[in-house]
Amino acid sequence: IVAFPFEDIYVDRRHILHMLTKREQKIIFYFALLTASLGIGGIRAIVCPLSAYNLEDCGPKELLSFFNWFYWLINLNSAVVFVSISYIQQSVARNLGFLIPFVSMLMAMITIHMVRGEMIYKPKTDSSLLTTFGAIASALKTCCVRYRYFRGGVTHWLDHAKENYGGQYSETQVESTKSLARLFPLFAFQILYRTCIMQIPSGYYLQTMNSNLHFSGFVLPVAAMNVISIVPLLVLVPILECINSYLFSFKHTGHSPTIYIGVGQFSAALSMMVAGFSEIHRKRFPQVEQTLSEEVLLVSSMSCFHLAPQYILLGVAEALVTPSCSLLSFWLVPERIRGISMHFLTLFNGAGCFMGAFFVQTAHAGTQGNWFPHLLHEGKLERFFFFLASLMMVNTLGFWTIAHRYSNVNQEYTNEFRGSLPEEKLLKHEKAIKHYDSVLESSPILFPVEKT
């Protein structure tokens, strides 16, 4: 739909195929953005958990390997898209840049329809998102009503939702919600990190667009610089696989994905710092004319490849942080709510994107366009990057203070979450009793002397 209103769809140079006004084209464009965001949100929240459900009996080593290669394949696909489709859209025809993804998505839907019988997963009936929210709401309501008794007999505020304490939810449902609530601090510290990652299509995009894109006689598409941030991930995943295989082979090494997350967040903060210095360096070069999408712009004569270090650092951050966060979100909760935990991780990542847009709008309005100017060489975009770098350093230190809560992912620690639920223990106990009774019934009757 978006491909249709562009002016490069015509019968000849004087007869445009459509008669839509600019306002109608914008309405269609923003409507398409809304539908695309809904589709992307659904895919990210469903596809990865659905694939990992087949690994429920695997340990953290196998899960981390799965998430590493899962995101490796996604980024390999993205690298192809940023090189090919972005070049077609910028240098050949804008409408083809939208028609190609449309055709590929149509083929994907046909393929999914053909194999839909093998992609159905039915979670347990007591593990819905409404149950999780209901347990939280019930606990908060009971806390407000019985605030005098909050300290007596209840070790956790969510215990108020249990039936034993006047709530409406079973022991298993509340304990599952408690394990998910333990991950909320981890999710919260990903918001600012995701804000930094979103600088690639915003602040870094502006820097690249205002730099010299000429390379070996042709103009590079701006989105092709994203490939520089993808290359570190494609290279690091095989290396990390070797490191993980070595570390997980020793049971008492204390290896934890939180180390990867901390290092990755520090790498993101360093990327913001390098971007600030790159912006100062870029404005020292003389300006030249450059044509982008049939529009002549005054840009810095500095080559866009001078911006490569900041892209590389963000790529390293993604290679370390995203698979590790997915592993913790999937592994440190009971099996019945693993999909919900992955949904919350996606939700907090989306909140980081909104926070990035809020920072940009606030910086533009608060500085009267000085930090995000219309003409980049006349403003102080580097101050915005330094501001993000300082916030990200504080975020990294804050995460490191709580990292010990998620530092142990060995079997004993996961049993604390999955095997400590009273109903599960009772069920196992009942099965053991039934097995013992069946053994007694099938055994021959022996006299005391024969037994001895």
Side-chain angles (χ1 to χ4, degrees):
I1 295 177
V2 171
F4 178 73
F6 281 119
E7 294 178 356
D8 56 355
I9 300 182
Y10 47 77
V11 178
D12 55 42
R13 293 290 180 180
R14 293 174 296 179
H15 298 87
I16 305 299
L17 190 61
H18 65 82
M19 299 299 293
L20 297 177
T21 63
K22 290 292 184 181
R23 181 175 179 273
E24 292 172 338
Q25 293 182 36
K26 287 184 177 180
I27 292 175
I28 294 178
F29 181 75
Y30 286 114
F31 173 76
L33 279 182
L34 176 62
T35 56
S37 64
L38 292 175
I40 292 171
I43 290 174
R44 288 182 177 179
I46 293 174
V47 171
C48 189
L50 186 64
S51 303
Y53 277 132
N54 296 324
L55 301 173
E56 286 183 346
D57 297 329
C58 298
K61 175 185 175 182
E62 291 78 9
L63 282 173
L64 184 58
S65 177
F66 165 79
F67 286 117
N68 275 329
W69 289 110
F70 180 84
Y71 291 111
W72 186 87
L73 288 172
I74 289 178
N75 283 274
L76 179 64
N77 182 26
S78 299
V80 175
V81 169
F82 286 132
V83 171
S84 59
I85 296 182
S86 60
Y87 175 78
I88 293 173
Q89 191 170 15
Q90 177 175 303
S91 304
V92 181
R94 284 178 292 180
N95 62 308
L96 289 179
F98 293 105
L99 287 176
I100 294 174
F102 166 74
V103 174
S104 64
M105 286 303 301
L106 183 62
M107 295 174 62
M109 287 190 291
I110 295 174
T111 305
I112 291 174
H113 179 74
M114 294 172 61
V115 297
R116 67 188 186 279
E118 301 177 3
M119 300 179 66
I120 296 176
Y121 176 81
K122 294 181 179 180
K124 297 179 180 180
T125 56
D126 62 344
S127 60
S128 66
L129 189 61
L130 291 177
T131 302
T132 303
F133 280 124
I136 295 175
S138 177
L140 292 175
K141 180 180 178 181
T142 308
C143 286
C144 294
V145 174
R146 302 180 180 181
Y147 66 95
R148 299 191 303 270
Y149 308 103
F150 181 75
R151 294 181 180 271
V154 177
T155 58
H156 195 277
W157 64 274
L158 278 171
D159 289 334
H160 287 286
K162 295 180 179 179
E163 295 174 344
N164 298 338
Y165 298 99
Q168 304 174 0
Y169 296 90
S170 65
E171 188 90 8
T172 302
Q173 292 171 338
V174 175
E175 290 295 327
S176 298
T177 305
K178 286 169 66 174
S179 66
L180 178 62
R182 293 187 183 99
L183 293 177
F184 283 170
L186 172 68
F187 295 156
F189 280 106
Q190 301 310 308
I191 294 178
L192 194 58
Y193 165 76
R194 190 56 53 180
T195 299
C196 294
I197 295 298
M198 288 307 297
Q199 292 311 303
I200 290 181
S202 56
Y204 288 9
Y205 180 90
L206 290 177
Q207 279 186 300
T208 306
M209 188 176 65
N210 286 270
S211 302
N212 187 5
L213 293 170
H214 288 85
F215 177 74
S216 298
F218 66 94
V219 180
L220 288 172
V222 179
M225 289 295 292
N226 289 20
V227 180
I228 298 180
S229 66
I230 295 174
V231 169
L233 191 144
L234 299 179
V235 174
L236 279 177
V237 165
I239 298 176
L240 291 176
E241 278 296 296
C242 298
I243 295 175
N244 293 333
S245 299
Y246 175 77
L247 292 177
F248 274 108
S249 62
F250 300 96
K251 296 182 179 180
H252 303 288
T253 54
H255 169 69
S256 172
T258 55
I259 299 176
Y260 289 159
I261 298 176
V263 175
Q265 291 194 357
F266 176 77
S267 179
L270 192 60
S271 175
M272 296 297 107
M273 186 68 67
V274 172
F277 287 115
S278 297
E279 179 62 17
I280 297 175
H281 180 65
R282 188 190 62 81
K283 290 189 290 188
R284 294 175 179 172
F285 285 75
Q287 291 186 313
V288 294
E289 289 187 351
Q290 182 170 263
T291 303
L292 284 178
S293 298
E294 301 179 357
E295 184 177 351
V296 179
L297 302 174
L298 282 175
V299 301
S300 172
S301 58
M302 184 192 80
S303 173
C304 61
F305 292 108
H306 287 205
L307 305 175
Q310 63 199 54
Y311 281 93
I312 293 174
L313 287 171
L314 275 188
V316 171
E318 273 290 84
L320 296 174
V321 173
T322 302
S324 300
C325 281
S326 298
L327 169 65
L328 295 178
S329 303
F330 192 85
W331 180 250
L332 296 183
V333 293
E335 294 178 2
R336 59 175 54 84
I337 61 167
R338 281 176 166 174
I340 297 175
S341 178
M342 299 294 289
H343 296 165
F344 270 99
L345 178 61
T346 305
L347 179 65
F348 277 84
N349 287 340
C353 301
F354 279 102
M355 180 170 285
F358 173 76
F359 280 166
V360 170
Q361 186 65 29
T362 303
H364 179 77
T367 62
Q368 297 180 350
N370 188 30
W371 282 16
F372 259 88
H374 295 289
L375 298 176
L376 204 58
H377 64 278
E378 296 179 357
K380 300 291 183 181
L381 181 62
E382 64 273 9
R383 295 181 179 178
F384 178 75
F385 289 137
F386 291 146
F387 171 71
L388 275 184
S390 59
L391 288 182
M392 194 60 208
M393 282 301 302
V394 175
N395 187 81
T396 305
L397 294 175
F399 169 77
W400 200 248
T401 59
I402 68 162
H404 64 277
R405 303 181 187 179
Y406 320 103
S407 59
N408 193 357
V409 293
N410 57 25
Q411 188 66 28
E412 289 77 14
Y413 186 69
T414 53
N415 284 338
E416 178 185 347
F417 287 94
R418 292 188 288 173
S420 62
L421 301 182
E423 293 186 4
E424 292 182 1
K425 288 184 176 180
L426 182 61
L427 182 61
K428 292 180 180 179
H429 183 64
E430 291 177 352
K431 289 181 178 179
I433 293 176
K434 291 180 180 179
H435 176 71
Y436 181 70
D437 291 340
S438 63
V439 171
L440 289 179
E441 291 175 359
S442 60
S443 301
I445 300 176
L446 301 177
F447 292 99
V449 177
E450 293 177 333
K451 290 182 181 179
T452 59

